[in-house]
């Protein structure tokens, strides 16, 4: 697999530089000189061109997309060339825009996207007959110069992802031939000039990620040719003008994060060509109009974080691939028809009726991706975070959890951060283990990959601790939650490091990431910028917050509100990124070692629990665990408790339980302690639970009565409430006792603060 991937990359690399021969006419020496001056001004130190070959430069790397392309037109004498197109893209040139461009008589298109150019747009360009200017992804700053308004010939103007500030000059309204105007990801303020009403030929208008003021203007109804409209995180407020109903040619319609005004769904019934409809966080109330489900071209429907009510109709959505209804007030049953094969549906954060386990939504999900996290608001909050789980009750209390988001288990400062990197993530993903989990929503737009299910970012670097090498990313919303937590106050530490941008002088360093953070549904950070907070990329930054848990659940939600660049260093890089999470109860101290020594216990009662525990666990494992969701031993314990009348001493069953316990010790000697576990189970059992059981078994068989736990201690340990002590006698009279050897071996293992870290597997192989 890897070999073929490498081979493919090699082939692509070899074939990437495409050279096409053009007509053998010459470029006048004057234009050659100007060209050489231009590349020098732009900061290319070793590029030189000559009259014979300049017009033959047509390079494009399929891998890096680095492009150097010069096209020429033949002059009227049929023997000289004139430069008409210059494209230096993704070259990271670090100079300024060349004023000399105006000395090329027939230049019409310039594309200097993804360089490292600074300064502004030269006034010399104002007198030119340019039709196409793309300056995406540079460091251009200051006001957008008003002299751009003189280049009436322009049909395409894109200055996205720069540092332009101030208001948009009204003069741009004179560019009546404009078809494409992209101003996204700058620092523009004020209102859009009313002169823009005259830009009637616009097909593509994007102003995402700015600081504009005012409402979305009514005059966009003039832009009848509009094919793509993007107003995400622009600063503009709602409502969406009702006149958008006149825009019949819309293919992509993306509006998000417009504050405030309550509104109903805009009438888009005549926009039948819609392919991507995003109306996210637009304060839309009321119902989803029925015609939406009949739009045959619709591929992406994102209506997340509104106040939409009503039920979903029982119709099969034609061509819809992605449906995001996250964060609304939708109710009623989830119609099975909304889950056709191949669909991706996110219904998290809603008010639906909980589906039964037999419902298609709860059955095996190979055919579709579905996220039901908190999709129903019911009395029991636990059922909200554990949708489609048979057991939605807590059997024990947790005081802390530590997650290495998107990575492997990592031990730092004595704490093991559990990795969730094996769960890649994806468009509508829900994951949970028996203590915590995550919900991930969104498709990375414009990454040209509808099948992207790898929502983990990684960096190869030795300059940063392992916790930050991998991080979980999400395009829209990412929630980490812990459940079955003891109610009380917690300290939430969030660990970040920017690992997707570089720290060199290339366009790859120019990305800006911003997202919001909510803890327990309360906004704690708006426009959080990791790189700014850490003063650089590849630098860790930790944020600590106090949080109160009242219903055993803690939730940390990361939200993209349309801010930051979306195409640097590659298309589709944006949104939340988190490296690690730690949640601890600052007042909780794990049980001390000496406590156990003080306890005098009868070996008999301890053994009853043990015997019942192991027998019960084996029975339970065999009959219940197989083929169903993994559950904890505590369930069995509950059964045992009930069966023994909560461990009434009258129910003593004698010494019969000693057998299996002693067998443990024998097996341990042969380093096969896990043989205690029924082999029929395969790997489908909870190794932590098994290990805990065995460890308590060994403790209970302690030859020294003073070291045996009491009944209640043992129960508490089984439930995971109390740490299982390491304290056992060193060498001495008992040193030959296999039972102590086994416990000592456990103690020898490197263990973390939590009770869950040493797996039985470690025991076997250490
Ligand atoms: C310019 O020089 C650099 C370093 O010397 C080299 O990597 C690069 O390929 C050169 N570029 C061209 C166009 O020759
Ligand atoms: C070079 O530019 C011309 C004119 O814009 C275009 O037709 C051609 O495809 C480009 N070639 C490359 C390799 O980008
Ligand atoms: C240039 O070529 C075109 C078409 O081949 C021809 O019509 C025209 O007369 C030529 N002009 C000159 C100056 O030779
Ligand atoms: C190229 O520029 C010359 C000089 O400005 C002009 O006369 C000619 O029409 C231009 N040719 C084209 C095809 O634009
Ligand atoms: C552009 O950046 C260089 C350093 O890379 C700096 O010396 C120069 O002053 C900047 N020019 C402008 C116009 O900002
Ligand atoms: C707009 O587009 C039409 C059709 O492509 C074209 O005829 C017209 O010249 C363009 N410019 C203006 C200002 O209408
Ligand atoms: C934003 O617009 C409002 C009303 O249109 C105005 O009162 C306010 O001064 C504007 N703020 C800025 C920063 O332009
Ligand atoms: C929004 O509008 C709907 C319908 O007009 C209304 O029922 C709802 O109460 C409004 N919500 C707010 C927050 O104003
Ligand atoms: C949709 O188009 C039809 C036919 O042109 C027209 O009668 C209707 O009013 C339009 N609806 C909207 C909301 O503009
Ligand atoms: C949720 O749905 C139920 C009916 O299923 C309804 O009674 C309740 O008011 C809804 N809650 C909200 C917040 O809309
Ligand atoms: C580990 O300790 C070091 C030194 O005190 C500290 O800088 C770092 O942030 C700690 N790591 C974690 C994950 O808390
Ligand atoms: C968190 O709570 C502790 C104890 O109440 C307090 O000392 C600390 O300042 C709080 N931290 C924050 C960030 O609020």
């Amino acid at each position: 697999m890897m070999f073929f991937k490498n081979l493919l990359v090699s082939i692509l690399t070899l074939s990437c530089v495409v050279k096409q021969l053009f007509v053998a006419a010459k470029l006048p020496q004057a234009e050659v000189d100007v060209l050489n001056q231009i590349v020098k001004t732009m900061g290319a130190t070793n590029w030189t061109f000559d009259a014979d070959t300049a017009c033959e430069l047509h390079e494009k790397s399929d891998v890096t997309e680095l492009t150097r392309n010069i096209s020429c037109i033949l002059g009227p004498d049929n023997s000289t060339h004139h430069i008409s197109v210059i494209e230096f893209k993704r070259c990271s040139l670090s100079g300024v825009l060349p004023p000399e461009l105006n000395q090329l008589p027939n230049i019409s298109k310039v594309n200097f996207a993804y360089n490292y150019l600074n300064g502004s747009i030269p006034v010399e360009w104002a007198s030119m007959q340019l039709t196409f200017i793309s300056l995406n992804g540079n460091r251009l700053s200051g006001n957008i110069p008003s002299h751009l308004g003189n280049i009436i010939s322009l049909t395409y103007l894109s200055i996205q992802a720069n540092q332009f500030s101030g208001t948009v000059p009204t003069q741009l309204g004179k560019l009546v031939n404009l078809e494409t105007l992209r101003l996204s990801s700058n620092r523009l303020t004020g209102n859009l000039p009313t002169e823009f009403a005259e830009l009637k030929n616009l097909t593509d208008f994007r102003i995402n990620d700015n600081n504009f003021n005012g409402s979305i203007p009514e005059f966009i109804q003039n832009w009848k040719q509009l094919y793509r409209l993007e107003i995400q995180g622009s600063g503009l407020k709602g409502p969406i003008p009702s006149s958008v109903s006149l825009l019949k040619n819309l293919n992509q319609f993306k509006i998000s994060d417009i504050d405030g005004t309550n509104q109903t769904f805009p009438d888009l019934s005549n926009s039948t060509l819609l392919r991507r409809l995003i109306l996210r966080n637009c304060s839309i109330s009321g119902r989803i109009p029925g015609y939406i489900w009949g739009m045959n071209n619709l591929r992406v429907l994102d209506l997340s974080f509104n106040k939409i009510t009503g039920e979903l109709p029982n119709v099969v959505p034609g061509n819809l691939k992605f449906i995001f209804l996250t964060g609304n007030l939708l109710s009623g049953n989830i119609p099975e028809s909304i889950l056709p094969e191949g669909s991706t549906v996110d219904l998290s954060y809603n008010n639906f009726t909980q589906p039964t386990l037999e419902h298609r939504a709860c059955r095996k999900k190979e055919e579709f991706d579905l996220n039901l996290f908190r999709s129903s608001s019911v009395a029991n909050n636990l059922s909200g975070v554990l949708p489609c789980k048979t057991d939605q009750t807590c059997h024990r209390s947790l005081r802390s959890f530590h997650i290495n988001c998107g990575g492997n288990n990592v031990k730092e400062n004595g704490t093991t951060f559990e990795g969730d990197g094996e769960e890649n993530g994806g468009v509508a993903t829900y994951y949970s283990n028996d203590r915590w989990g995550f919900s991930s929503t969104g498709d990375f737009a414009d990454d040209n990959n509808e099948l992207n299910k790898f929502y983990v970012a990684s960096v190869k670097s030795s300059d940063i601790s392992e916790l930050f090498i991998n991080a979980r990313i999400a395009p829209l919303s990412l929630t980490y939650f812990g459940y079955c937590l003891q109610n009380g106050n917690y300290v939430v530490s969030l660990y970040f490091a920017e690992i997707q941008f570089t720290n060199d002088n290339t366009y790859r360093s120019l990305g800006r990431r911003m997202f919001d953070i909510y803890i327990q549904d309360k906004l704690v950070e708006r426009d959080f910028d990791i790189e700014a907070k850490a003063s650089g990329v590849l630098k860790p930054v930790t944020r600590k917050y106090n949080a109160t848990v009242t219903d055993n659940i803690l939730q940390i939600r990361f939200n993209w509100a349309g801010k930051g660049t979306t195409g640097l260093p590659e298309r589709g890089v944006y949104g939340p990124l988190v490296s690690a999470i730690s949640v601890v109860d600052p007042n909780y101290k794990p049980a001390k070692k000496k406590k156990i020594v003080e306890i005098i216990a009868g070996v008999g009662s301890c053994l009853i629990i043990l015997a019942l525990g192991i027998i019960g666990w084996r029975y339970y494992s065999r009959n219940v665990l197989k083929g169903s969701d993994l559950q904890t031993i505590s369930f069995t314990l509950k059964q045992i408790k009930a069966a023994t009348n909560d461990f009434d001493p009258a129910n003593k069953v004698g010494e019969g339980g000693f057998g299996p316990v002693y067998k443990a010790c024998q097996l341990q000697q042969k380093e096969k302690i896990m043989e205690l576990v029924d082999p029929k189970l395969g790997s489908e059992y909870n190794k932590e639970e098994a290990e805990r059981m065995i460890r308590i078994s060994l403790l209970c068989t302690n030859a020294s009565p003073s070291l045996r736990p009491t009944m209640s201690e043992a129960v508490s340990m089984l439930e995971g409430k109390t740490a299982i002590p390491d304290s056992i006698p060193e060498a001495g009279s008992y040193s030959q006792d296999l039972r102590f050897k086994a416990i000592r071996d456990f103690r020898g293992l490197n263990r973390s603060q939590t009770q869950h870290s040493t797996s039985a597997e470690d025991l076997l192989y250490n």
Side-chain angles (χ1 to χ4, degrees):
M1 189 63 191
M2 202 58 200
F3 169 74
F4 284 111
K5 204 175 157 192
N6 289 340
L7 190 68
L8 192 66
V9 171
S10 311
I11 291 170
L12 287 175
T13 313
L14 283 175
S15 63
C16 78
V17 180
V18 183
K19 292 218 175 195
Q20 296 166 357
L21 280 181
F22 241 59
V23 191
K26 285 191 178 217
L27 194 64
Q29 190 56 41
E31 282 193 47
V32 175
D33 293 344
V34 170
L35 185 58
N36 283 325
Q37 184 56 48
I38 284 173
V39 295
K40 206 173 156 201
T41 303
M42 293 180 72
T45 47
N46 55 357
W47 298 6
T48 47
F49 299 97
D50 60 53
D52 292 320
T53 59
C55 292
E56 293 168 18
L57 183 72
H58 306 289
E59 296 177 358
K60 179 173 179 178
S61 157
D62 282 350
V63 177
T64 63
E65 292 190 62
L66 187 151
T67 304
R68 298 198 311 153
N69 186 14
I70 295 175
S71 294
C72 302
I73 55 169
L74 200 56
D77 62 356
N78 291 349
S79 66
T80 50
H81 264 146
H82 299 286
I83 295 173
S84 62
V85 177
I86 302 181
E87 214 178 341
F88 297 144
K89 237 174 114 178
R90 296 187 191 271
C91 300
S92 292
L93 300 175
S94 60
V96 295
L97 288 172
E100 303 87 358
L101 208 60
N102 68 350
Q103 295 168 41
L104 298 175
N106 294 112
I107 186 89
S108 63
K109 294 185 179 183
V110 286
N111 189 338
F112 299 144
Y114 307 107
N115 282 290
Y116 200 68
L117 305 168
N118 65 354
S120 192
I121 301 172
V123 68
E124 287 81 356
W125 290 20
S127 56
M128 298 169 64
Q129 303 296 303
L130 293 168
T131 60
F132 182 108
I133 298 177
S134 176
L135 305 172
N136 278 359
N138 281 285
R139 297 182 295 154
L140 306 174
S141 58
N143 289 336
I144 298 176
S146 56
H147 58 246
L148 270 183
N150 293 347
I151 316 178
I152 306 288
S153 48
L154 272 182
T155 61
Y156 186 109
L157 176 62
S158 178
I159 55 170
Q160 295 189 129
N162 278 283
Q163 297 161 22
F164 285 112
S165 55
T167 57
V168 176
T170 56
Q171 286 86 344
L172 291 198
K174 293 193 286 177
L175 300 175
V176 291
N177 292 302
L178 270 189
E179 290 164 13
T180 298
L181 180 56
R182 300 183 188 168
L183 307 175
S184 297
S185 289
N186 280 287
R187 291 154 186 175
L188 301 171
T189 56
N191 297 314
L192 285 181
T194 51
E195 286 77 0
F196 274 21
E198 298 309 311
L199 304 181
K200 292 178 181 163
N201 271 12
L202 275 182
T203 59
D204 184 338
F205 181 74
R206 309 183 198 180
I207 54 166
N208 308 325
D209 181 29
N210 275 296
N211 300 320
F212 286 117
N213 189 21
S215 296
I216 299 176
E218 279 282 347
F219 60 67
I220 62 175
Q221 64 174 292
N222 287 6
W223 303 342
K224 299 280 191 304
Q225 311 299 318
L226 211 56
Y227 180 85
R228 183 164 177 167
L229 179 68
E230 295 192 13
I231 306 180
Q232 301 198 71
S234 70
L236 290 185
K237 292 174 185 57
I240 300 166
S242 57
S243 52
V244 295
S245 62
L246 299 170
L247 304 176
K248 297 182 187 179
N249 291 313
L250 282 177
N251 178 286
Q252 301 206 32
F253 188 47
K254 304 184 180 181
I255 298 186
S256 85
D257 306 283
I258 50 175
D259 278 339
T261 322
N262 197 7
Q263 63 181 324
T264 54
F265 208 98
D267 189 339
L268 297 169
S269 54
N270 283 342
S271 308
T272 53
L273 302 176
L274 272 175
R275 188 170 166 82
R276 288 165 193 267
L277 175 58
I278 297 178
L279 299 173
R280 183 192 318 127
N281 191 16
C282 292
S283 305
I284 296 173
S285 56
R287 290 156 187 272
I288 302 172
Y291 61 80
I292 290 292
W293 306 107
M295 288 186 151
N296 288 329
N297 296 304
L298 201 58
R299 192 79 180 145
V300 178
L301 177 65
D302 179 350
L303 305 175
S304 53
F305 299 104
N306 285 293
K307 297 175 225 162
I308 296 172
T309 50
E311 304 194 0
L312 293 181
N314 199 3
V315 291
V316 180
N319 199 25
L320 266 172
K321 167 78 179 165
F322 299 119
I323 302 177
F324 303 109
L325 301 175
T326 313
N328 279 291
L329 298 166
L330 291 161
S331 56
N333 291 318
I334 296 166
E336 302 212 354
S337 57
I338 206 176
L339 304 169
E341 211 167 310
S343 63
T344 306
V345 181
D346 198 295
L347 301 178
S348 56
Y349 294 99
N350 267 293
N351 188 27
F352 289 104
T353 307
Q354 271 209 54
T356 59
L357 293 180
E358 292 72 38
H359 192 286
R360 182 172 165 84
C362 285
R363 293 206 307 263
K364 284 285 171 198
K365 307 224 176 66
E366 284 89 27
E367 296 167 13
F368 54 87
D369 289 325
L370 173 67
N371 184 6
L372 291 177
F373 179 75
R374 283 181 74 184
S375 58
S376 59
S377 70
V378 282
N380 177 4
N381 274 320
L382 201 58
S383 63
V385 303
L386 299 176
C388 294
K389 293 261 161 147
T390 40
D391 187 3
Q392 295 178 333
T393 49
C394 277
H395 301 293
R396 57 176 177 184
S397 293
L398 203 65
R399 309 305 270 272
S400 63
F401 59 94
H402 310 272
I403 308 170
N404 180 21
C405 309
N408 301 319
N409 287 3
V410 165
K411 192 161 183 174
E412 183 157 322
N413 299 350
T415 300
T416 298
F417 287 76
E418 293 176 80
D420 65 5
E422 280 176 18
E423 190 66 34
N424 287 336
V427 182
T429 298
Y430 168 82
Y431 163 83
S432 88
N433 59 29
D434 64 350
R435 283 149 294 132
W436 51 264
F438 68 83
S439 156
S440 174
T441 304
D443 173 51
F444 285 105
D446 301 322
D447 65 352
N448 296 329
N449 186 358
E450 280 196 342
L451 299 176
N452 185 5
K453 293 196 173 184
F454 191 67
Y455 284 14
V456 170
S458 303
V459 69
K460 285 193 179 70
S461 171
S462 52
D463 299 341
I464 197 163
S465 101
E466 201 187 342
L467 217 46
F468 301 92
I469 296 290
N470 300 294
R472 187 161 296 283
I473 51 176
L476 206 162
S477 180
L478 170 68
T479 303
Y480 271 95
F481 62 94
Y483 68 97
C484 291
L485 285 164
Q486 180 93 16
N487 287 339
N489 295 324
Y490 286 82
V491 174
V492 176
S493 304
L494 304 180
Y495 300 85
F496 305 97
E498 180 54 66
I499 57 172
Q500 291 196 292
F501 308 143
T502 56
N503 61 356
D504 49 13
N505 293 341
T506 70
Y507 74 90
R508 307 181 74 85
S509 72
L510 296 177
R512 293 190 294 269
R513 180 195 305 280
M514 271 178 250
F515 55 92
D516 298 340
I517 305 173
Y518 295 79
I519 294 182
Q520 300 293 57
D521 293 325
K522 180 169 158 274
L523 182 70
V524 295
E525 299 279 355
R526 185 187 289 280
D527 297 340
F528 186 73
D529 178 336
I530 299 171
E531 186 179 352
K533 288 289 188 304
S535 306
V537 303
L538 288 177
K539 290 187 175 157
V541 58
T542 307
R543 306 295 271 189
K544 286 188 193 299
Y545 310 91
N546 288 335
T548 304
V549 172
T550 55
D551 60 358
N552 308 110
I553 298 166
L554 184 87
Q555 300 176 69
I556 305 155
R557 192 168 81 83
F558 305 91
N559 182 66
W560 185 60
K563 293 291 189 185
T565 56
T566 57
L568 288 164
E570 280 134 33
R571 277 178 287 268
V573 173
Y574 62 92
L577 180 153
V578 57
S579 306
I581 293 174
S582 126
V583 173
V584 293
D585 174 349
N587 300 316
Y588 176 65
K589 301 274 181 294
K592 289 201 182 82
K593 286 179 181 181
K594 73 171 208 232
K595 194 178 170 191
I596 200 78
V597 184
E598 291 163 357
I599 294 165
I600 311 289
V603 70
S605 57
C606 185
L607 283 178
I608 293 170
I609 299 169
L610 249 303
L612 285 170
I614 289 182
I615 292 162
W617 187 74
R618 289 177 58 131
Y619 170 82
Y620 175 75
S621 304
R622 237 180 256 169
N623 297 292
V624 185
L625 273 187
K626 244 183 161 177
S628 79
D629 277 349
L630 200 62
Q631 294 180 38
T632 67
I633 184 67
S634 317
F635 186 67
T636 313
L637 196 65
K638 202 169 142 197
Q639 289 177 327
I640 300 166
K641 267 182 171 175
T644 61
N645 195 12
D646 212 15
F647 301 103
D648 186 333
N651 286 342
K652 224 182 223 182
V653 293
E655 305 297 317
F658 200 84
V661 174
Y662 199 66
K663 186 192 171 197
C665 302
Q666 288 174 326
L667 289 170
Q668 203 277 340
Q669 193 187 20
K670 294 181 222 154
E671 299 192 344
K672 284 180 179 176
I673 201 157
M674 289 312 288
E675 272 187 23
L676 255 186
V677 177
D678 192 323
K680 281 184 209 153
L681 274 175
S683 59
E684 288 179 52
Y685 57 87
N686 188 329
K687 285 181 179 144
E688 286 170 14
E689 301 291 358
E691 182 214 331
R692 189 180 312 155
M693 178 70 75
I694 293 164
R695 289 173 61 189
I696 299 167
S697 313
L698 293 168
L699 208 59
C700 281
T701 64
N702 200 323
S704 162
S706 68
L707 295 178
R708 287 175 209 141
T710 62
M711 175 83 85
S712 60
E713 280 285 339
V715 172
S716 184
M717 285 182 223
L718 274 174
E719 285 181 320
K721 278 181 185 161
T722 307
I724 301 165
D726 292 330
S727 184
I728 45 148
E730 281 300 341
S733 55
Y734 298 117
S735 61
Q736 299 310 307
D737 193 319
L738 289 174
R739 292 168 291 177
F740 290 129
K741 184 178 184 305
I743 302 178
R744 270 198 304 277
D745 288 353
F746 272 108
R747 190 187 52 182
L749 294 173
N750 217 0
R751 292 178 46 232
S752 80
Q753 289 173 359
T754 65
Q755 307 142 345
H756 310 288
S757 58
T758 311
S759 77
E761 221 160 51
D762 292 338
L763 189 72
L764 281 178
Y765 298 115
N766 273 1

